Amino acid sequence: MIALLLAASAVAVPLQGEWRAALDLAGGTLKFSVEVDGANRGKICIGSSCQEITSITVQGDTARFYIGDYDATITARIHADSLTGVYRNVGNRGPRTIPFRAAKGRWPSTPASPELIGRWDATFYQDTRTSPRVLEFHNTPRGLEGAFIANSGDYGVFWGTTIADSFEIAHFDGAFVYLIAGRLDGDTLRGTLHAGLRTQTRWTAVRSTGRPHLTPPTELTHADTVHPFRWSFPDLTGRMVSNDDPRFAGKVLVIDIFGSWCPTCHEAAPMLVGLYRRFHARGVEIVGFAYEVTGDSGIDNRQIRRFREKFHVPYLLLRAGLNDVEATAATLPQLSGFTAYPTTLFIGKDGRIRRVHAGFVGAATGALQTAQVVEFRTAVERLLAEP
Amino acid sequence: MAGGTQAQTEPAVSRERAEFQDWLAHSPTSPFAVLAMQPIGPGISIGDGGRDVPLTGLPLQRVVERGNALTLEANGASRPLPKNRLIAVGPYHLFASGPAGHTILLIYAAAPKSPHPSTYFPYDPKFVFRVHLLSTDSNRVQRVLGPDGIEVDATEVGTVSVLIGGVESRLRVLRIGAAGTEESELEIYFRDGTNDKDTYPAGRFVNLLPGASGGGGYLLDFNRSRNPFCAYSSAFPCPAPWRGNSVRAPIRAGEKYAGGGGSSPPVRPS
């Protein structure tokens, strides 16, 4: 242990600073940044969006970056001014490894031309099937950023570079490995999505007309709207709470079906906290149904408490079950077609579900997120206006 | 920093093999750590005196699937058992996966036991092919056993042709997706002239790797051929060979069969 600490302090200086990092996929290079401070605390950054690296250890000339949320590691040999190694996370079918390299410094910031900026309706082609997606691009001080949105929500912030009429934007968080490459061809974007080491999906996109291209989030999951919504789950002390609890009688209720492990749920939490602060005094309650990872109440409650503290959640959080879509659906038999974390339920004063919003679009989507905030507030106002 | 794409070369294959050997030897989900693989069906009993899977040092438990949710029940208490996640239960690990109604439970020891290192043919560049996928219009979805013996939905996406031993062979390609992501693998499960001699009798798996140029071509590198998990442990069922995917000539590349596993896998076309 002493030897390890000595080794760590001996190489702390070379690791410290900003690294332009890359994963080498079969068909392209996924660029991101790694930032390490003097105490060997680090973060992975995609443009302006960063997440903490759980731990960085150094043994001899090898650095190990551990991303605890996904049990993933980047192991790299330290050279004079570069790192080479592999990103790895482990499944039950074998190791999933992707070559990793990094050099000291910062990726250049390359803002995109106005022809690319804005929202595009994309069609993805795999085999003979097609599926809709939305791409959104905007310039930031860190360069080109974007969003990649599917029916169930977006995949977080994408960041990248442009050269002439071509661009690449990428997202890496320790689990998701996505690189979107494309070019402007007249009034059409054409490109390839690289998912993981070797999945490639061709796509084309045209300027969004403003008409809905994706299935609206209110049409993905359906609910029994005839009967009162019945539920009963333990709070973080183990006490059962149900829809019959007097605190909900005659009130508008918003239920957030979420998980502390879910990045999109983290993006949604501040908005829901804001919604609570705005409407609670007028008779609105919010309850979070947490679907967690282990099924062990001690571990899962600890993760839920951490989530509550991180976002200063003032409303009730309940431990509802496991974060498997099928298992979640089994605990909520009055919903059909449950597909996405988070899913938000809007419930009237009579206890019946009025609206189900599947998924959540995060800050990367810009105007879409703004519209979503308005939609949530409007939904609550309408329920409050009901007799 | 030099630019570059994934090296599709002999050093890359060596690195992949080293990673895989490390995983086989040390991972808690190594096939060499598996003690049993059991369909859950209406419910199974595991542990001391368990009728389905007896396990010493673990109080008798029952694994039950109700309404798409799995639970582990013992002495009147129950706890949920999440799918697709390694869960520690006493001195063992459990891993449940597969579609509802067809859930499979894998039971692992605390660590791999007596892992056999894999052996490989020397890298041979003549078994590396640049191929084009001849797509099929049907895209039929079928249930097949994956390399780990677990049933998965696979989409028939087309065929690739290779010239081996002077004979052109057309091999079927299935796309097997990973749940919850945009990732998938283009898999070929094939038999060849080395089966029953140097390689596993039931056949081997190999992936199509997309070309670095992004021009739609693929790399089919038989040096990356690998055994189904039933070659490592008889706990795993063997995938039946895929109809038509037989190459008469020997493909002396990729993983060899080191013995063990299922000794007599079924060899009949699916």
Side-chain angles (χ1 to χ4, degrees), chain A residues 149-217:
Chain A
I149 311 163
N151 279 330
S152 57
D154 72 310
Y155 288 85
V157 172
F158 280 65
W159 172 87
T161 53
T162 61
I163 300 176
D165 60 356
S166 297
F167 70 91
E168 289 183 350
I169 55 172
H171 178 87
F172 171 63
D173 57 16
F176 287 146
V177 176
Y178 293 133
L179 168 67
I180 299 172
R183 68 183 172 82
L184 192 59
D185 179 10
D187 56 1
T188 302
L189 292 180
R190 301 180 192 281
T192 303
L193 165 72
H194 304 261
L197 179 61
R198 55 189 176 222
T199 304
Q200 296 182 2
T201 307
R202 194 168 52 84
W203 58 269
T204 61
V206 295
R207 276 269 172 211
S208 174
T209 59
R211 285 196 296 272
H213 181 58
L214 302 173
T215 303

Side-chain angles (χ1 to χ4, degrees), chain B residues 150-161:
Chain B
I150 291 178
E151 202 173 73
V152 290
D153 284 333
T155 305
E156 183 104 32
V157 293
T159 58
V160 293
S161 291

